[in-house]
mmCIF file of all heavy atoms in Angstrom:
data_model
loop_
_atom_site.group_PDB
_atom_site.id
_atom_site.type_symbol
_atom_site.label_atom_id
_atom_site.label_comp_id
_atom_site.label_asym_id
_atom_site.label_seq_id
_atom_site.Cartn_x
_atom_site.Cartn_y
_atom_site.Cartn_z
ATOM 1 N N THR A 132 -17.590 -38.005 6.966
ATOM 2 C CA THR A 132 -17.242 -38.603 8.242
ATOM 3 C C THR A 132 -18.483 -38.876 9.031
ATOM 4 O O THR A 132 -18.648 -39.955 9.657
ATOM 5 C CB THR A 132 -16.282 -37.647 8.989
ATOM 6 O OG1 THR A 132 -15.160 -37.352 8.204
ATOM 7 C CG2 THR A 132 -15.862 -38.252 10.337
ATOM 8 N N GLU A 133 -19.431 -37.931 9.012
ATOM 9 C CA GLU A 133 -20.678 -38.088 9.724
ATOM 10 C C GLU A 133 -21.480 -39.266 9.179
ATOM 11 O O GLU A 133 -21.988 -40.115 9.926
ATOM 12 C CB GLU A 133 -21.531 -36.821 9.566
ATOM 13 C CG GLU A 133 -21.946 -36.214 10.889
ATOM 14 C CD GLU A 133 -22.705 -34.959 10.599
ATOM 15 O OE1 GLU A 133 -23.827 -34.985 10.040
ATOM 16 O OE2 GLU A 133 -22.176 -33.891 10.984
ATOM 17 N N LEU A 134 -21.570 -39.365 7.843
ATOM 18 C CA LEU A 134 -22.273 -40.503 7.188
ATOM 19 C C LEU A 134 -21.610 -41.819 7.532
ATOM 20 O O LEU A 134 -22.290 -42.831 7.832
ATOM 21 C CB LEU A 134 -22.369 -40.268 5.715
ATOM 22 C CG LEU A 134 -23.317 -39.236 5.240
ATOM 23 C CD1 LEU A 134 -23.172 -38.979 3.748
ATOM 24 C CD2 LEU A 134 -24.750 -39.630 5.552
ATOM 25 N N SER A 135 -20.324 -41.831 7.513
ATOM 26 C CA SER A 135 -19.571 -43.068 7.838
ATOM 27 C C SER A 135 -19.854 -43.500 9.267
ATOM 28 O O SER A 135 -20.036 -44.710 9.476
ATOM 29 C CB SER A 135 -18.095 -42.801 7.639
ATOM 30 O OG SER A 135 -17.343 -43.957 7.956
ATOM 31 N N ASN A 136 -19.883 -42.546 10.185
ATOM 32 C CA ASN A 136 -20.176 -42.870 11.594
ATOM 33 C C ASN A 136 -21.591 -43.371 11.722
ATOM 34 O O ASN A 136 -21.861 -44.372 12.519
ATOM 35 C CB ASN A 136 -19.936 -41.667 12.459
ATOM 36 C CG ASN A 136 -18.481 -41.338 12.635
ATOM 37 O OD1 ASN A 136 -17.621 -42.120 12.417
ATOM 38 N ND2 ASN A 136 -18.212 -40.039 12.976
ATOM 39 N N GLN A 137 -22.566 -42.805 11.019
ATOM 40 C CA GLN A 137 -23.915 -43.265 11.068
ATOM 41 C C GLN A 137 -24.049 -44.720 10.537
ATOM 42 O O GLN A 137 -24.816 -45.532 11.102
ATOM 43 C CB GLN A 137 -24.814 -42.354 10.280
ATOM 44 C CG GLN A 137 -25.096 -41.011 10.950
ATOM 45 C CD GLN A 137 -25.905 -40.031 10.081
ATOM 46 O OE1 GLN A 137 -26.328 -40.375 8.992
ATOM 47 N NE2 GLN A 137 -26.093 -38.819 10.583
ATOM 48 N N ILE A 138 -23.337 -44.987 9.482
ATOM 49 C CA ILE A 138 -23.377 -46.377 8.876
ATOM 50 C C ILE A 138 -22.774 -47.347 9.882
ATOM 51 O O ILE A 138 -23.364 -48.455 10.097
ATOM 52 C CB ILE A 138 -22.625 -46.408 7.527
ATOM 53 C CG1 ILE A 138 -23.406 -45.638 6.473
ATOM 54 C CG2 ILE A 138 -22.353 -47.840 7.084
ATOM 55 C CD1 ILE A 138 -22.657 -45.430 5.225
ATOM 56 N N LYS A 139 -21.720 -46.985 10.550
ATOM 57 C CA LYS A 139 -21.126 -47.889 11.527
ATOM 58 C C LYS A 139 -22.050 -48.113 12.709
ATOM 59 O O LYS A 139 -22.170 -49.243 13.196
ATOM 60 C CB LYS A 139 -19.787 -47.289 12.059
ATOM 61 C CG LYS A 139 -18.640 -47.393 11.062
ATOM 62 C CD LYS A 139 -17.407 -46.710 11.596
ATOM 63 C CE LYS A 139 -16.299 -46.670 10.589
ATOM 64 N NZ LYS A 139 -15.121 -45.969 11.051
ATOM 65 N N GLU A 140 -22.749 -47.124 13.120
ATOM 66 C CA GLU A 140 -23.694 -47.253 14.248
ATOM 67 C C GLU A 140 -24.866 -48.170 13.830
ATOM 68 O O GLU A 140 -25.288 -49.025 14.630
ATOM 69 C CB GLU A 140 -24.263 -45.876 14.631
ATOM 70 C CG GLU A 140 -23.307 -45.024 15.410
ATOM 71 C CD GLU A 140 -23.853 -43.605 15.712
ATOM 72 O OE1 GLU A 140 -25.126 -43.392 15.522
ATOM 73 O OE2 GLU A 140 -23.067 -42.772 16.089
ATOM 74 N N LYS A 141 -25.334 -48.042 12.623
ATOM 75 C CA LYS A 141 -26.451 -48.888 12.141
ATOM 76 C C LYS A 141 -25.981 -50.383 12.058
ATOM 77 O O LYS A 141 -26.752 -51.283 12.362
ATOM 78 C CB LYS A 141 -26.915 -48.444 10.773
ATOM 79 C CG LYS A 141 -27.538 -47.102 10.730
ATOM 80 C CD LYS A 141 -29.030 -47.183 10.828
ATOM 81 C CE LYS A 141 -29.542 -45.756 10.795
ATOM 82 N NZ LYS A 141 -30.917 -45.670 11.066
ATOM 83 N N ARG A 142 -24.744 -50.611 11.650
ATOM 84 C CA ARG A 142 -24.221 -51.980 11.563
ATOM 85 C C ARG A 142 -24.090 -52.628 12.930
ATOM 86 O O ARG A 142 -24.267 -53.784 13.077
ATOM 87 C CB ARG A 142 -22.887 -51.988 10.832
ATOM 88 C CG ARG A 142 -22.994 -51.754 9.339
ATOM 89 C CD ARG A 142 -21.684 -51.949 8.669
ATOM 90 N NE ARG A 142 -21.811 -51.642 7.259
ATOM 91 C CZ ARG A 142 -20.773 -51.355 6.459
ATOM 92 N NH1 ARG A 142 -19.587 -51.326 6.940
ATOM 93 N NH2 ARG A 142 -20.995 -51.102 5.194
ATOM 94 N N ASN A 143 -23.705 -51.787 13.911
ATOM 95 C CA ASN A 143 -23.513 -52.305 15.225
ATOM 96 C C ASN A 143 -24.858 -52.603 15.918
ATOM 97 O O ASN A 143 -24.921 -53.353 16.880
ATOM 98 C CB ASN A 143 -22.741 -51.297 16.108
ATOM 99 C CG ASN A 143 -21.236 -51.267 15.644
ATOM 100 O OD1 ASN A 143 -20.774 -52.160 15.036
ATOM 101 N ND2 ASN A 143 -20.592 -50.172 15.957
#
Side-chain angles (χ1 to χ4, degrees):
T132 304
E133 235 177 68
L134 286 172
S135 178
N136 289 339
Q137 288 176 1
I138 290 170
K139 286 179 186 176
E140 287 176 12
K141 295 264 181 189
R142 285 186 184 162
N143 290 339

